[in-house]
Amino acid sequence: MRKESFLQLIAFLSDYFTKSSNKEKIELFIDRAKNENPWFSEHLIREAMEAVHLQFFDIKSWEIFFENHPHQVHSSKKVGLILAGNLPAVGIHDVLMTLASGNEACIKLSSQDKSIMLLYVQAMQEFSVDVPIQLIERLQGMDAVIATGSDFSGSYFAHYFASTPHIIRKNRTSIAILDGSESQEDFHQLAKDVFSYFGLGCRNVSTIAIPESYDPTPLFDVLTQYHWVLDHTKYSNNYQYHKTLFLLNQIPHFDLGNLLIQESQDLVSPVGVVYLRRYSSKDELEAWIHASEEKIQCIVGAESAKKNQVSFGKSQEPGLSDFADGIDTYAFLTSLS
């Protein structure tokens, strides 16, 4: 698609998902999604779709993006997209980047997130049958591949697509850094980074780094207020399971009633658990971050020069240029011609 047509598509999508005439169809797909993935509560789905609308269906944001990324491919290439399924429509960014670059999006849907992505694909096709997008089951004859999966599947993808230009994404998580200057409002914002989407996303905070002398009690007092997560059966089961595991194995931990806090040197915590890591100096903290950078999606905390650092409460609000794993997807896509 040329830029003018792509911007018209974005305007169409923005209008499509706010039109009352489309409400019945949208609700049907939301119901399907709830039955498709037991993690996908109605609240989670609507929250994800609202985020997509605000972040990716804004014409002005795309105009600014194109000012900073002026190039498109000279000839369209077939780009195979193997999408993740941990959150509703989590793969929409890759789809839009592929179309914006002038390439064709050949999408392999996740079995965990078919309905909502199918809704977006059908909406694009309603804009025009000429939108270069199709759903596929096997990625054969692709000019390039962008695949998102686990560490295990990522290694398989890297081997299978070794001779094809590719971006392979594996498991990642996010961390928060506290230094003692935080306010209670900062803690409430951090709670959003922890609890949004029940902690399922790679941009959810799973480890909080604090100074050795830091008293986390004020933080715990805030986190314990977010009891709504226990209304979801899957989250509640995870919380109860790990609580039982900690008690049986006599693992030291803090039980906030809705979240378990464990002091740990590990990085990726299970759902219902957040790790606490103490640091003695900034040099030690920087060394740990550097050693873990391939596993860290973003860093939540006070503003700094780090390219992947965001303010408290903003981890789940990525902009168009907040590329997963710090790899410029658009630059990759425009390099194919």
Side-chain angles (χ1 to χ4, degrees):
M1 300 182 74
R2 296 299 93 193
K3 291 178 183 178
E4 295 76 12
S5 297
F6 179 79
L7 291 175
Q8 290 172 6
L9 171 62
I10 294 300
F12 174 85
L13 292 172
S14 179
D15 184 56
Y16 184 94
F17 285 92
T18 55
K19 269 189 174 181
S20 57
S21 58
N22 294 323
K23 183 177 180 180
E24 184 176 346
K25 179 180 180 179
I26 293 171
E27 294 299 321
L28 175 63
F29 277 89
I30 290 175
D31 284 339
R32 288 179 181 174
K34 288 190 295 184
N35 295 324
E36 188 174 81
N37 187 331
W39 275 109
F40 287 8
S41 66
E42 182 171 336
H43 171 76
L44 185 150
I45 295 168
R46 294 188 188 280
E47 184 180 7
M49 293 182 70
E50 178 66 19
V52 167
H53 196 99
L54 291 175
Q55 296 158 17
F56 304 143
F57 294 166
D58 179 66
I59 288 287
K60 185 61 178 177
S61 295
W62 277 104
E63 289 175 341
I64 295 172
F65 178 85
F66 281 132
E67 288 177 4
N68 297 321
H69 301 78
H71 302 296
Q72 286 188 302
V73 294
H74 299 299
S75 59
S76 179
K77 305 295 183 181
K78 284 190 173 184
V79 180
L81 303 176
I82 300 177
L83 304 186
N86 55 315
L87 297 178
V90 70
I92 192 69
H93 187 269
D94 284 340
V95 173
L96 293 175
M97 285 295 156
T98 302
L99 297 177
S101 66
N103 289 301
E104 178 181 354
C106 303
I107 303 170
K108 175 71 169 67
L109 296 177
S110 166
S111 61
Q112 299 297 303
D113 180 33
K114 283 189 174 181
S115 294
I116 300 301
M117 278 307 306
L118 183 58
L119 171 62
Y120 284 115
V121 170
Q122 289 188 5
M124 293 179 195
Q125 291 172 334
E126 284 191 34
F127 168 72
S128 172
V129 294
D130 294 327
V131 173
I133 188 170
Q134 61 172 313
L135 301 178
I136 58 175
E137 287 300 320
R138 296 180 63 85
L139 271 67
Q140 295 179 326
M142 297 294 111
D143 297 305
V145 170
I146 300 175
T148 306
S150 64
D151 287 345
F152 175 79
S153 63
S155 298
Y156 169 77
F157 292 148
H159 174 74
Y160 189 83
F161 298 113
S163 61
T164 304
H166 61 258
I167 293 176
I168 307 297
R169 306 194 187 107
K170 301 180 181 180
N171 289 337
R172 288 214 175 200
T173 191
S174 296
I175 66 172
I177 298 174
L178 307 185
D179 60 16
S181 64
E182 295 78 25
S183 66
Q184 189 173 61
E185 178 56 26
D186 289 332
F187 293 151
H188 279 287
Q189 292 300 313
L190 176 56
K192 291 169 56 178
D193 301 313
V194 171
F195 291 118
S196 292
Y197 307 125
F198 305 111
L200 295 171
C202 63
R203 298 181 69 89
N204 283 106
V205 167
S206 64
T207 293
I208 301 175
I210 61 174
E212 283 188 341
S213 60
Y214 191 98
D215 178 10
T217 304
L219 169 63
F220 294 169
D221 289 342
V222 171
L223 293 177
T224 194
Q225 299 174 30
Y226 291 77
H227 275 276
W228 60 267
V229 289
L230 295 176
D231 294 335
H232 193 284
T233 302
K234 293 284 286 184
Y235 180 91
S236 181
N237 287 346
N238 270 267
Y239 162 74
Q240 292 294 341
Y241 170 78
H242 289 288
K243 178 178 179 178
T244 302
L245 202 63
F246 287 173
L247 291 172
L248 288 175
N249 292 289
Q250 298 183 338
I251 298 174
H253 66 280
F254 300 94
D255 184 359
L256 305 188
N258 60 339
L259 182 70
L260 301 168
I261 306 291
Q262 179 191 3
E263 294 207 22
S264 174
Q265 298 299 303
D266 293 331
L267 185 67
V268 184
S269 64
V271 172
V273 180
V274 164
Y275 291 149
L276 206 63
R277 182 188 181 97
R278 295 184 183 271
Y279 61 91
S280 59
S281 66
K282 286 189 176 180
D283 287 342
E284 179 193 323
L285 178 65
E286 292 293 335
W288 170 62
I289 292 173
H290 179 72
S292 308
E293 60 184 358
E294 289 190 0
K295 284 292 182 182
I296 297 174
Q297 189 68 267
C298 65
I299 301 171
V300 175
E303 295 293 339
S304 80
K306 293 185 179 66
K307 63 181 180 180
N308 59 342
Q309 184 143 347
V310 298
S311 302
F312 292 112
K314 300 296 184 181
S315 68
Q316 296 294 348
E317 299 178 14
L320 293 177
S321 296
D322 289 322
F323 299 106
D325 295 11
I327 301 172
D328 191 328
T329 311
Y330 193 82
F332 167 77
L333 289 164
T334 53
S335 71
L336 299 175
S337 59

